[in-house]
Amino acid sequence: MTPATIGTGYPTTATADYVFGCMQANGNTPQSLERCACSFDVVASIVPYDIYVEASTFLSMGQVSGEKGSLFRGSVESNRVIGDLRRAQAEAEIRCFE
C-alpha cells in the first residue's frame, strides 16, 4: 500500500508531521494552524519531496555525536539540500508569519 499524497507529492503523514511540529513551535493556536499550513504549502511548492526527505535525514543524522554524525554534517551534498530546505523555510516565514 502506498501512503496517501496530496497535490504536492508529499505523503499525508509528512504534511501532518510538518504542520504539527510547526504548530508546537508556534503555540498550538488556531492562528498557528493557519500559518503552519501556509508554511508547508510554500515549502512543498519549492522543495520536491525527495529533497525534503534527504535534507531531513541529513539534519537528523547530523545530530549523532562523534565521527558517525560528522559523515552527515558539512558534506557538499548535505549543505546543498539543507540549504535548499532552509531557503524554502525562510520564504515560508516571510509569506506566512509576517
Side-chain angles (χ1 to χ4, degrees):
M1 180 181 344
T2 308
T5 61
I6 52 178
T8 62
Y10 280 65
T12 303
T13 54
T15 305
D17 186 55
Y18 182 97
V19 173
F20 289 149
C22 176
M23 287 181 64
Q24 186 174 19
N26 290 286
N28 285 322
T29 64
Q31 185 178 33
S32 71
L33 173 59
E34 281 186 36
R35 290 178 173 178
C36 292
C38 171
S39 177
F40 170 79
D41 290 341
V42 172
V43 170
S45 74
I46 297 171
V47 177
Y49 179 64
D50 59 332
I51 300 298
Y52 177 83
V53 169
E54 192 174 354
S56 297
T57 301
F58 279 128
L59 288 167
S60 176
M61 295 305 295
Q63 298 299 315
V64 174
S65 62
E67 187 176 330
K68 289 181 182 179
S70 69
L71 296 172
F72 297 94
R73 293 186 297 270
S75 71
V76 172
E77 181 64 10
S78 69
N79 287 339
R80 182 185 66 79
V81 296
I82 291 170
D84 289 348
L85 178 58
R86 295 286 190 233
R87 283 186 289 281
Q89 289 172 325
E91 181 65 24
E93 180 77 19
I94 292 167
R95 291 191 200 176
C96 304
F97 286 89
E98 293 185 0

